[in-house]
Amino acid sequence: GQSLEQPSEVTAVEGAIVQINCTYQTSGFYGLSWYQQHDGGAPTFLSYNALDGLEETGRFSSFLSRSDSYGYLLLQELQMKDSASYFCAVPTSGTYKYIFGTGTRLKVLA
Amino acid sequence: NAGVTQTPKFRVLKTGQSMTLLCAQDMNHEYMYWYRQDPGMGLRLIHYSVGEGTTAKGEVPDGYNVSRLKKQNFLLGLESAAPSQTSVYFCASSSLDEQFFGPGTRLTVL
């Protein structure tokens, strides 16, 4: 089967760095995406990794290791507005049919 | 440029009633998707489309039908609503690696 696993919840304080992990099991692999969703809102795209390594976009970075079937989202200089749910997702078998993880709820404390 | 829009935003149905949710995108994307999201859960794919006139089943297609008569529109139908279909429904369109989501439709079936 195909699945993605993420921690259900992570808590950190303002200004800190937090890492949200995602391990995946898929029949074919084309890349790993990350989405952010605030309560009551729609998911919004953060990043996509097709190749191994680190991709940086401002305070957010995303990492992929294809050999380990593992990736993570790194959030630096945490702000209160980063409190949200974060989902990893993979497209399956080249069909652009996506599977999403169950999400990690990030709580940022003052 | 409105992106992805969904109508209606909220709806309450009685068991057995039918309804259609409309999704429209103005980004000329080939791929469109319908997801449902239940409290504390990730996104589950109901149906998707890889182009005008095509549709395919996702993870949880039972009880739903879809149509994509025009490239910019993707309709989701509930023929006979059941309480188990109470959920938030998100439509999305895709430009290869990134999905753009609509604001969602909150549906309650009594």
Side-chain angles (χ1 to χ4, degrees), chain A residues 33 35 37 40-45 47-48 87 94-103, chain B residues 31 33 35 37 40-43 45 48 50 57 90 94 96-99 101-103 106:
Chain A
S33 301
Y35 288 80
Q37 185 181 29
T44 57
F45 175 82
S47 68
Y48 175 75
F87 296 90
T95 64
Y96 295 99
K97 185 174 85 170
Y98 283 79
I99 293 177
F100 281 77
T102 51
Chain B
Y31 303 97
Y33 310 83
Y35 296 93
Q37 186 175 37
M41 301 284 287
L43 295 154
L45 182 64
Y48 66 105
V50 299
K57 294 180 180 179
F90 287 103
S94 175
L96 299 180
D97 305 330
E98 178 177 352
Q99 292 198 36
F101 285 84
R106 191 170 297 273

Side-chain angles (χ1 to χ4, degrees), chain B residues 1-40:
Chain B
N1 188 347
V4 179
T5 58
Q6 292 181 232
T7 53
K9 289 186 169 52
F10 302 93
R11 186 72 185 266
V12 178
L13 290 178
K14 294 182 179 178
T15 297
Q17 288 185 318
S18 63
M19 77 164 294
T20 300
L21 283 69
L22 173 63
C23 176
Q25 54 100 358
D26 61 4
M27 295 172 282
N28 203 35
H29 290 160
E30 292 292 340
Y31 303 97
M32 296 188 74
Y33 310 83
W34 276 107
Y35 296 93
R36 63 176 288 174
Q37 186 175 37
D38 299 306

